[in-house]
Amino acid sequence: MPRFLWQMSFPKSWFRGRPKMNLPNRLTIGRFFLTVLFVFCLSSTFPFSRTIGLVLFIVAGITDYMDGEIARRCSLVTDFGKLMDPVVDKIMIAAAFVCLVALRAVPAWVAITIISREFLITGLRMLAASKGKILPAESMGKHKTVWQILTVLFFLGMLALGEIHHFGAAKWWEFTLRYGGMLFIACALGFTLYSGFGYLWKNRALIQTGQ
């Protein structure tokens, strides 16, 4: 979409002439609060809480796409956005897997592995930054993120269907949740471990003694 169409879609005051936070950064902060609401829903037992959690996760994912597109197309890239956008993304994914563990949909070791990988790579990037280097994201890391999101969406979708009484008691639902879940977890874990070890190996010079 041309830049001027993006600017026509929102008040001009959101794009220039204001010292306040711009629209992409507002979307990033909004995604954080959506994550808080998402965790609240999945931690509650009120009717259709899983369905509402699924909707919130989808909306949060849409804001993740929108803030990046708006920032690039409208030249609104900021240091705040560069820092906070990936941080909020990691918080959202980590929160989702922790909640799925609490709901006994995902094994705890899977969530720990996925979250640990994110901490390790973030630590490596901080180490690189302290030495004046910038480690860019790689395509394999993007594939990893896609599979993690798909895995969360699969389990949330199945849990949302399970809130409908006759679906939750159906054998096909149990079969799909069990074996479909195993497939998604295997793919997410595979990309998580492969991309993580590959990234560490490629930048191993940073963590070698004396480097």
Side-chain angles (χ1 to χ4, degrees):
M1 182 183 295
R3 177 179 173 181
F4 75 92
L5 290 180
W6 280 91
Q7 293 178 330
M8 289 175 60
S9 302
F10 306 98
K12 292 183 178 180
S13 60
W14 286 6
F15 293 94
R16 64 174 183 269
R18 293 185 68 184
K20 296 183 179 180
M21 188 176 295
N22 63 29
L23 179 58
N25 291 343
R26 291 183 183 185
L27 289 173
T28 298
I29 296 300
R31 185 161 69 258
F32 172 77
F33 288 106
L34 284 173
T35 301
V36 174
L37 290 175
F38 166 78
V39 172
F40 171 77
C41 288
L42 292 191
S43 302
S44 304
T45 56
F46 59 84
F48 299 103
S49 59
R50 280 50 168 163
T51 303
I52 296 174
L54 171 62
V55 172
L56 289 173
F57 189 83
I58 292 174
V59 173
I62 293 174
T63 65
D64 185 25
Y65 171 79
M66 288 183 62
D67 63 13
E69 283 295 305
I70 294 173
R72 286 188 293 270
R73 293 176 182 271
C74 300
S75 300
L76 294 173
V77 178
T78 64
D79 291 336
F80 177 87
K82 291 179 181 179
L83 173 66
M84 292 306 298
D85 184 65
V87 170
V88 173
D89 289 346
K90 294 180 189 302
I91 291 174
M92 182 178 73
I93 292 296
F97 276 100
V98 169
C99 288
L100 290 175
V101 170
L103 294 172
R104 298 184 178 181
V106 171
W109 67 269
V110 172
I112 292 172
T113 300
I114 290 174
I115 295 172
S116 297
R117 185 267 186 200
E118 301 304 328
F119 275 110
L120 286 173
I121 299 304
T122 299
L124 182 64
R125 285 174 173 165
M126 292 176 64
L127 177 63
S130 69
K131 297 182 179 182
K133 299 180 181 179
I134 298 177
L135 301 183
E138 296 185 342
S139 59
M140 189 57 64
K142 295 179 181 179
H143 289 303
K144 173 267 304 180
T145 301
V146 169
W147 275 103
Q148 288 178 356
I149 292 174
L150 289 176
T151 300
V152 172
L153 288 174
F154 169 80
F155 281 105
L156 290 177
M158 293 303 297
L159 291 173
L161 283 176
E163 290 183 318
I164 304 174
H165 179 68
H166 62 279
F167 278 173
K171 291 184 178 180
W172 70 265
W173 182 86
E174 296 179 356
F175 179 88
T176 304
L177 179 63
R178 180 177 180 180
Y179 293 102
M182 291 173 60
L183 176 62
F184 275 97
I185 287 175
C187 291
L189 269 180
F191 278 101
T192 295
L193 294 174
Y194 182 79
S195 63
F197 284 124
Y199 205 78
L200 289 172
W201 178 256
K202 182 178 180 180
N203 299 285
R204 63 190 182 279
L206 287 171
I207 54 180
Q208 289 177 348
T209 303
Q211 296 295 324

